[in-house]
Amino acid sequence: SSRPLKKGEHPMCKEHEDERINIYCVTCEVPTCSMCKVFGAHKDCEVAPLQNIFQGQKTELNNCISMLVAGNDRIQTIISQLEDSCRSTEENSEAAKRELCARFDALAALLEEKKSELLQRITREQGNKTTSFIQDLIRQYKEQLEKSSRLVETAIQAMEETGGAAFLMLGEGTEGDMAMLSLPRIVEASKGGRLEKIEHGYENMDAFSVSLDHLTEAVHTLDFDPAEEDEEFFDGEEEELEE
């Protein structure tokens, strides 16, 4: 029938409006009426009782509904598993990020601690070379410079003496800088002191050079530990759905 049927209303044949559809054409796979079988388009076709076909197809449809419902349940289960997997992946990713940050922070703290230790060693060596030795030498040389400067001033004053005997007797029986005015003493003082000197390259700090090339290379090659590929947990479900 071309018009919508009300519930419980029996469909009528479009070719024979007074005939109810009461048989099923197995050849054409359509319901029809007895007049179509006797005189109409289905007179050469194989037909069967409508009720038999109705019960068979209704049973088949019911089985299909059961299979669809079961398939929907499986799909819903897979969806739930995928959603759980998504949540677990996010949680595990955050945990992995926290662990990675903690490891790098610990490494950075270790490097900072090591850097501080090495800096302290350089500072100690700097103190030993400057304060303990060089500064002491500077003090000694300054004392010698001060004595020599005073001696120069005294000697210049002595040069003003015009009397030969008086000049030759300068320094005798005197104290302090004047006592140094004898010629042998002045000659000795003019040669410079015999104070200790630093060796060539004493100020060099090359011994405290650190090579970090191996650490730099290690950082460049740093990567996650290789892991075996996990099997796709839904492969079996997909095969089951395809079946």
Side-chain angles (χ1 to χ4, degrees):
S1 176
S2 59
R3 63 181 180 84
L5 294 176
K6 296 181 180 180
K7 188 176 181 180
E9 184 179 1
H10 197 89
M12 306 299 288
C13 179
K14 289 189 294 182
E15 299 296 330
H16 310 91
E17 296 181 356
D18 294 334
E19 294 292 328
R20 300 175 62 176
I21 293 179
N22 53 6
I23 59 175
Y24 186 83
C25 178
V26 178
T27 304
C28 300
E29 297 183 344
V30 291
T32 185
C33 70
S34 299
M35 294 296 293
C36 287
K37 169 60 180 171
V38 177
F39 305 106
H42 301 286
K43 62 181 180 179
D44 298 324
C45 296
E46 179 185 355
V47 298
L50 188 68
Q51 192 65 23
N52 293 348
I53 302 299
F54 161 68
Q55 290 297 335
Q57 290 197 5
K58 195 169 186 180
T59 299
E60 184 178 356
L61 179 60
N62 186 63
N63 293 336
C64 289
I65 291 174
S66 298
M67 293 176 63
L68 287 172
V69 170
N72 290 342
D73 290 340
R74 288 194 297 272
I75 292 174
Q76 185 59 51
T77 299
I78 293 175
I79 292 174
S80 299
Q81 290 176 344
L82 291 173
E83 291 174 344
D84 291 342
S85 178
C86 185
R87 285 191 297 269
S88 297
T89 300
E90 292 176 353
E91 294 172 357
N92 294 337
S93 297
E94 292 302 319
K97 290 177 182 178
R98 289 193 297 270
E99 181 181 359
L100 183 65
C101 289
R103 290 180 181 273
F104 270 82
D105 290 343
L107 179 59
L110 179 61
L111 289 174
E112 191 65 29
E113 180 181 352
K114 192 64 177 178
K115 182 182 76 173
S116 178
E117 175 191 337
L118 296 179
L119 286 174
Q120 289 176 5
R121 287 175 58 184
I122 295 176
T123 301
R124 284 197 301 269
E125 183 65 15
Q126 175 187 354
N128 292 336
K129 286 190 172 187
T130 57
T131 305
S132 301
F133 184 68
I134 296 181
Q135 291 295 335
D136 186 58
L137 280 182
I138 292 175
R139 179 186 58 79
Q140 295 179 38
Y141 275 98
K142 282 184 176 180
E143 290 177 355
Q144 179 175 323
L145 177 61
E146 184 180 355
K147 291 179 181 180
S148 178
S149 298
R150 290 200 306 267
L151 182 58
V152 169
E153 293 176 0
T154 305
I156 291 174
Q157 293 175 5
M159 288 292 292
E160 297 175 357
E161 180 61 53
T162 57
F167 178 80
L168 294 175
M169 293 177 64
L170 287 174
E172 293 184 7
T174 60
E175 296 180 357
D177 295 333
M178 192 62 71
M180 294 289 295
L181 283 178
S182 63
L183 186 58
R185 291 181 179 179
I186 293 177
V187 173
E188 182 66 23
S190 67
K191 294 180 180 180
R194 300 180 180 277
L195 297 177
E196 188 176 0
K197 298 179 181 179
I198 60 174
E199 298 177 356
H200 178 71
Y202 177 83
E203 67 280 2
N204 198 312
M205 300 292 283
D206 290 345
F208 294 91
S209 177
V210 175
S211 175
L212 299 179
D213 293 343
H214 60 294
L215 290 181
T216 303
E217 183 65 23
V219 171
H220 282 308
T221 58
L222 190 63
D223 202 349
F224 297 105
D225 294 333
E228 295 182 0
E229 296 183 357
D230 296 329
E231 295 182 358
E232 298 291 345
F233 74 95
F234 47 80
D235 282 351
E237 297 292 344
E238 289 181 344
E239 292 178 0
E240 187 174 351
L241 288 175
E242 291 175 359
E243 293 175 0

